[in-house]
Amino acid sequence: MILNLMQGVGKTTLIVKVFETLKSSNPNLKIQGFYTSEVRQGGERVGFQVVTLDGRTAPLASSIISSPESLRWPNVGKYKVDVASFESMAIPELQVREDTDLFIIDEVSKMELFGSSFFPAVLRVLESNVPVLASVPIPKVGCDILAGT
């Protein structure tokens, strides 16, 4: 199942609730993947992080980081995307294994697609015949997230 919804409608909340319900009803279910969550500071969203299904986190994007390294990072709106951090956490979670019952991918959007490894990893998951629960935001009119325009 792929959720193709607009931004801000609760995609991540729904995916996390589905994951928690599946794990509590069947603890032996082998679920791989990740979701993204907002990083807030003083009530304001200042970025996003990637969260593995076992609770590990890594930065995805930030509007407040200012390091020499971050000057080379791609931008999405006001956010600088830390591609290396995201891919180091997310890509291992998308490795196809024989015992995997379900993949969760939240989400497939412009920030995640900046890296060269993410899209091929998602394709391998989709080609694996393992069920997938993923979210893909509806792009703004005239904007194709896969083309990056």
Side-chain angles (χ1 to χ4, degrees):
M1 172 189 303
I2 295 181
L3 302 173
N4 194 4
L5 302 168
M6 297 183 317
Q7 294 179 341
V9 296
K11 295 181 300 294
T12 298
T13 301
L14 176 62
I15 282 180
V16 170
K17 292 220 182 273
V18 167
F19 168 65
E20 290 171 349
T21 300
L22 287 171
K23 283 307 277 185
S24 66
S25 65
N26 187 350
N28 295 324
L29 199 64
K30 176 70 171 141
I31 306 174
Q32 289 179 225
F34 68 90
Y35 61 92
T36 55
S37 67
E38 293 182 348
V39 175
R40 294 193 163 268
Q41 194 172 76
E44 179 184 344
R45 183 173 67 194
V46 296
F48 298 91
Q49 65 181 354
V50 59
V51 183
T52 63
L53 301 181
D54 61 4
R56 293 172 291 126
T57 64
L60 169 58
S62 175
S63 63
I64 58 174
I65 193 164
S66 60
S67 67
E69 180 179 270
S70 70
L71 295 175
R72 296 187 306 269
W73 295 352
N75 291 313
V76 175
K78 67 180 182 177
Y79 301 102
K80 296 285 228 173
V81 181
D82 188 343
V83 174
S85 171
F86 168 73
E87 286 197 336
S88 70
M89 186 66 73
I91 300 304
E93 299 303 308
L94 299 179
Q95 298 303 308
V96 177
R97 297 181 181 96
E98 284 186 27
D99 63 341
T100 302
D101 297 309
L102 174 68
F103 279 101
I104 292 179
I105 306 171
D106 174 51
E107 64 188 52
V108 179
S109 70
K110 192 170 185 176
M111 284 185 190
E112 291 83 0
L113 290 168
F114 272 116
S116 61
S117 301
F118 182 67
F119 190 66
V122 170
L123 287 178
R124 283 190 297 278
V125 166
L126 292 173
E127 292 168 349
S128 73
N129 293 321
V130 174
V132 177
L133 173 60
S135 65
V136 180
I138 295 173
K140 294 177 184 171
V141 176
C143 179
D144 183 349
I145 63 168
L146 298 179
T149 60

